[in-house]
Amino acid sequence: NTMNLLLAGGVGLPIGVMTVPFAVFFYPPSVGGGGGGTVAKDALGNDVTLTSWLKTHPAGDRSLTQGLKGDPTCLIVKDGEIEKYGLNAVCTHLGCVVPWVP
């Protein structure tokens, strides 16, 4: 009986040490979260507002603004509204800014 306990303890401890981090990896974090959106900025660093942007940009326009981390981001105007997302204009290959060509 003592040998069985020693075997179970000798094998169980390393298996438990390896299994706990493996299981924690698949358990999603419960703290933190999405938060709100980020305000786009124009070429001068001023916040983009809906009314002023729609006055100067007609439907179908895709102009560059400063998005996340200051990356160039295309704001898309569609049917008199700005889309709820922006397209990152930075090339993933070389990091250059890609112009929008419809």
Side-chain angles (χ1 to χ4, degrees):
N1 196 10
T2 305
M3 291 302 287
N4 288 338
L5 291 175
L6 285 174
L7 179 65
V11 173
L13 183 65
I15 288 176
V17 168
M18 290 186 292
T19 305
V20 169
F22 184 76
V24 169
F25 176 78
F26 291 105
Y27 185 74
S30 61
V31 181
T38 302
V39 177
K41 302 203 179 281
D42 61 9
L44 301 175
N46 301 321
D47 291 348
V48 171
T49 60
L50 179 67
T51 54
S52 65
W53 190 261
L54 292 177
K55 285 180 186 175
T56 57
H57 297 85
D61 183 60
R62 293 163 176 90
S63 298
L64 286 177
T65 60
Q66 293 178 21
L68 296 174
K69 297 184 276 180
D71 284 349
T73 304
C74 291
L75 275 187
I76 302 167
V77 178
K78 189 174 184 180
D79 300 328
E81 290 291 323
I82 297 176
E83 291 288 341
K84 301 209 182 301
Y85 59 89
L87 295 177
N88 193 339
V90 177
C91 171
T92 57
H93 177 238
L94 295 175
C96 54
V97 176
V98 180
W100 181 274
V101 180

